[in-house]
Amino acid sequence: MTPWFTGVSATRTKIPPEFLDEAALLAYLKLSQAELRKIWWFRERMYQQFDIAKSGKKVRSISAPDKRLKHLQRQIAPLLDSLYRVRHPVHGFVANKSVKTNAQAHLRKRFILNLDLKDFFPSITEGRIGGLLQSIGIDSRVADIIARLCTNDGRLPQGAPTSPVLSNMICFRQDKQLMSFAKENRCIYTRYADDITFSSDQPMAALFESAVPSPGRFPPDLLVTRLRAIFMANGFEINADKTHYADRHSRRMVTGLKVNELINVDRRYVRNIRAALYSVRTLGAEEAQKKFETKLGGKSNIGSHLEGKIAWLRFIRGQSDPVVRAMALRFNAAFPDRKIDVVPTRDEVRDRAVWVVDNDTDISQGSAFFLKGVGLVTAAHCAKGAKEVEVYHPSKRSNKFKATVVKRDEQFDLAILNHEIPTTEYYELERSLTAVAVGDDLTAIGYPDFGPGDGLNVRGGKVSSLPVKNGVSMIEVTQKLSQGMSGGPLLDDNDAVVGVTHKGGPDEGRDFVVRIEMIDKL
C-alpha cells in the first residue's frame, strides 16, 4: 500500500512510487549498485568548485556537479517538488515567483527589516536532509541515498539542481514559525532563499529588545530573543553583516529592489548601463570592451553583459517603461546585430497611451490619450477655461508636463493638446477603420477619480445605440463611464479608437462617447 504523510506539505501528500524503496529509486534513476557505491565514496570528485563575482568585490562559491550527477539530481528534483507545498511568503526557487514578487509584497511599506541567513546552503547538512525525508515517511535507505546524491562534502551545494527545493523543504517549519511571529506583530514576512524581510506601516518595536534602531545596519542581538531563537532552533544563524532597518525617511530595499513607491532598481544600476553604452558609442565596441575588462573587471562580452542588464531592467520595470525603451534603443544603435525587441504588448500600449490631465483653472481631472497622426486628445470639458493644462503618467505623478490647448470645440466636447513629452514616454493608439454597430463589444479605459496607487481602469461593455445629438455623432454604451474617464479612449476589439469618452456614471441615466470621426471637424 502506498504510504501517506503530513510532514513537509502540512497536508496528506502521496509519496512518489519512485521513493518507496531502494530498488524503485535505482530503477527510476537507471543507477546500478556499482555506480551508486562509486558516487557514495567519491562524489567530491564529481564537483567543480569556482567563484562568481557579487557586488562589493564579494564572491559566491559554487559547487557544480558533473554531467552525470547533475542528470541524476535533475531526475530527483521534480519528485521532491511534488512533496513540497509552497507557503505564501516563500518567493525563492518556486514557480511564478521571483525577487520582484518578493519585493512587491512590501511595496510602499514604511518600515522594512532585512535579515540574511549566514552560510545558508552549507548550513543544511546531509544528515538534516536525510532526517527530514525520513520524518515525512520516506524509507530510511531511500532518504540516505537521496541525501548522499544531493550533497557534497556532507553539505548542500550551491549549484546542484536539487538544492533549491531541498532548502525550501528544510525551511518549511521555520517559515511557519516566522509567519505566526509576523502575524502576531502585525508585520508582513517573506523569504527569498536566505533573504528574510519583515515590513510594516508602523515602527516594528515588537521585533527589538529595546528601542528601534536608527536606519541602517545594526547588530543582530538587538532583535527580540524569540525571533533569534526561531532561527537558532532551525539550524541557522543571522548574518551580522546584513541586518538592516529602514524607516519611511530612508531608501527601502527588498532583495535588491526599491519599494518606496514603485518596484524599481537602484538608480546606480541605470547609470552604469548608460555609462557603458556611452563608452561603446564614443570609443567603439573594441575599446569599450578593453575598458570593461581592465577597469571594471569584466570577463564577458560587453554586448552580452549589457543585453542581460537591460533584460533585467525590462523585467523589473516593464517593457513600456520610458527608461527601458531608451536603453533598448541605445543598445540597438550600438549593437545592430543583436537588437533587443521593443515591441510592446497590448496592455503596455494601453498603459502608456492613456494619461491623466489636470486642469487647475476648473479644478478638475480627466483622462487624455495619444492618437497617431493627431496628438494628445482629451475631452473639451477637461480643458475648460484653460490655455494650458498639466498631464502626467500615473507611474510618476511628480513628472508633470505642460500641454497647450491648440484645438477645442465645446459642442463636440473634443480638444487637442500640443506637448513636448519625449517619445520614449508614451505609446500612440490608432484610429479604428471599422464602422461601429449596435451590439458591438467595446472597451473604455481611463482614470476615474484618480488617486495615488490607482492603475488604468478598464471597463467592457456593448454599444446600445448610435445617436446624433446637436450634430454630434455619438456612441451610447452599456458600461458606466465615471467622472475622470472623460477624455479617455473607447476601443474596439483591435484596440483601435472608436470614440472619446463624453459623460456618464451612476448619476447619469445614459453613458455617451463622441465618435472619433468628429475629431476631423475641429
Side-chain angles (χ1 to χ4, degrees):
M1 179 179 292
T2 301
W4 298 77
F5 65 90
T6 59
V8 170
S9 69
T11 58
R12 299 185 75 208
T13 303
K14 186 177 180 180
I15 294 178
E18 295 85 352
F19 285 174
L20 291 183
D21 54 40
E22 180 177 359
L25 177 62
L26 297 186
Y28 167 70
L29 296 175
K30 295 180 175 59
L31 182 65
S32 67
Q33 286 286 353
E35 186 178 10
L36 175 61
R37 285 194 296 271
K38 181 179 178 181
I39 296 173
W40 193 279
W41 296 111
F42 303 106
R43 62 182 172 179
E44 285 78 10
R45 300 178 184 178
M46 303 178 75
Y47 283 89
Q48 178 186 3
Q49 312 292 331
F50 60 91
D51 296 330
I52 58 174
K54 295 173 62 179
S55 59
K57 296 184 179 180
K58 296 181 180 180
V59 296
R60 176 181 285 115
S61 296
I62 302 295
S63 296
D66 66 12
K67 186 176 180 180
R68 174 56 177 162
L69 188 54
K70 181 179 289 187
H71 172 74
L72 295 173
Q73 292 169 348
R74 283 177 173 165
Q75 295 291 97
I76 294 171
L79 300 180
L80 295 173
D81 283 329
S82 71
L83 296 173
Y84 175 65
R85 181 174 64 84
V86 180
R87 290 195 180 277
H88 181 69
V90 179
H91 293 261
F93 315 131
V94 294
N96 303 317
K97 289 190 176 184
S98 63
V99 294
K100 184 176 181 180
T101 62
N102 187 60
Q104 284 173 331
H106 306 279
L107 183 61
R108 301 189 187 92
K109 293 299 178 183
R110 296 184 176 185
F111 301 90
I112 301 286
L113 172 65
N114 291 314
L115 306 175
D116 182 87
L117 301 182
K118 185 177 181 180
D119 298 327
F120 180 60
F121 283 101
S123 295
I124 303 173
T125 63
E126 181 177 346
R128 289 181 69 182
I129 293 171
L132 168 73
L133 297 177
Q134 290 182 50
S135 72
I136 61 178
I138 293 178
D139 175 80
S140 60
R141 176 60 178 165
V142 173
D144 288 344
I145 293 173
I146 294 172
R148 195 74 175 181
L149 292 176
C150 298
T151 57
N152 179 32
D153 195 23
R155 299 182 181 277
L156 201 62
Q158 187 162 350
T162 44
S163 292
V165 63
L166 284 171
S167 68
N168 279 340
M169 292 172 75
I170 287 288
C171 289
F172 188 84
R173 184 180 68 172
Q174 177 178 269
D175 289 327
K176 181 180 180 180
Q177 294 169 344
L178 292 175
M179 287 168 63
S180 297
F181 176 83
K183 185 177 181 180
E184 291 173 16
N185 294 287
R186 299 182 178 181
C187 297
I188 291 174
Y189 158 71
T190 65
R191 180 178 64 84
Y192 188 94
D194 55 351
D195 286 313
I196 307 289
T197 304
F198 293 93
S199 68
S200 176
D201 288 322
Q202 302 297 328
M204 292 182 278
L207 275 61
F208 298 93
E209 287 286 2
S210 54
V212 174
S214 300
R217 285 173 52 183
F218 65 89
D221 56 12
L222 295 184
L223 294 168
V224 69
T225 302
R226 183 187 166 199
L227 178 57
R228 288 183 283 128
I230 290 175
F231 295 115
M232 187 178 300
N234 285 281
F236 293 107
E237 179 184 351
I238 298 174
N239 189 339
D241 295 328
K242 294 186 178 181
T243 52
H244 189 275
Y245 184 71
D247 63 15
R248 57 188 173 184
H249 302 298
S250 55
R251 184 181 62 170
R252 302 186 289 283
M253 304 287 289
V254 177
T255 46
L257 299 175
K258 292 171 67 176
V259 295
N260 288 38
E261 292 297 331
L262 298 168
I263 300 297
N264 202 358
V265 299
D266 187 271
R267 66 181 63 183
R268 288 172 294 184
Y269 187 93
V270 176
R271 283 204 300 262
N272 290 340
I273 295 176
R274 285 198 180 106
L277 288 171
Y278 178 79
S279 293
V280 174
R281 183 172 65 85
T282 56
L283 302 176
E286 187 174 337
E287 288 301 315
Q289 179 69 37
K290 292 179 181 178
K291 180 180 178 181
F292 177 58
E293 294 173 355
T294 56
K295 293 188 176 182
L296 301 176
K299 296 182 180 180
S300 62
N301 176 271
I302 190 171
S304 300
H305 174 77
L306 287 171
E307 189 174 12
K309 289 280 188 180
I310 295 171
W312 174 249
L313 184 66
R314 179 170 58 182
F315 171 68
I316 298 301
R317 299 181 62 152
Q319 185 164 270
S320 64
D321 181 80
V323 174
V324 174
R325 294 175 65 196
M327 294 297 101
L329 291 173
R330 291 185 190 182
F331 178 88
N332 292 346
F335 301 95
D337 58 330
R338 56 191 311 166
K339 288 189 175 183
I340 294 175
D341 183 15
V342 290
V343 177
T345 65
R346 183 198 67 174
D347 289 340
E348 288 170 338
V349 171
R350 285 182 176 184
D351 176 65
R352 277 286 163 179
V354 184
W355 287 39
V356 177
V357 56
D358 267 342
N359 182 1
D360 291 336
T361 304
D362 193 45
I363 318 179
S364 63
Q365 168 261 314
S367 302
F369 65 96
F370 295 88
L371 183 63
K372 191 172 184 179
V374 176
L376 186 55
V377 177
T378 188
H381 72 264
C382 293
K384 184 178 179 180
K387 293 183 180 179
E388 190 177 74
V389 294
E390 287 186 330
V391 292
Y392 59 88
H393 191 268
S395 64
K396 197 169 185 180
R397 298 178 62 219
S398 60
N399 194 21
K400 295 187 176 182
F401 297 89
K402 297 292 185 181
T404 306
V405 180
V406 291
K407 290 184 179 181
R408 175 171 47 203
D409 190 294
E410 304 293 344
Q411 180 182 349
F412 297 164
D413 196 22
L414 293 174
I416 298 176
L417 311 176
N418 187 31
H419 65 89
E420 295 183 357
I421 304 172
T423 56
T424 53
E425 293 278 343
Y426 62 88
Y427 286 124
E428 293 179 312
L429 297 172
E430 296 191 3
R431 289 175 58 162
S432 175
L433 302 177
T434 305
V436 177
V438 173
D440 284 355
D441 292 316
L442 298 177
T443 303
I445 56 178
Y447 292 99
D449 300 317
F450 176 75
D454 288 348
L456 184 65
N457 198 284
V458 180
R459 301 188 180 186
K462 293 181 177 293
V463 178
S464 55
S465 71
L466 297 169
V468 177
K469 293 180 173 292
N470 300 318
V472 182
S473 299
M474 293 189 172
I475 304 171
E476 183 181 359
V477 293
T478 59
Q479 59 263 59
K480 285 297 174 185
L481 305 176
S482 304
Q483 182 179 1
M485 294 193 78
S486 296
L490 183 69
L491 308 175
D492 63 16
D493 287 341
N494 297 315
D495 259 32
V497 181
V498 298
V500 182
T501 297
H502 171 51
K503 69 175 183 176
D507 297 329
E508 297 283 345
R510 303 166 73 183
D511 298 84
F512 292 104
V513 174
V514 176
R515 295 179 68 157
I516 196 62
E517 297 94 305
M518 300 304 299
I519 208 163
D520 298 327
K521 298 184 179 182
L522 290 180

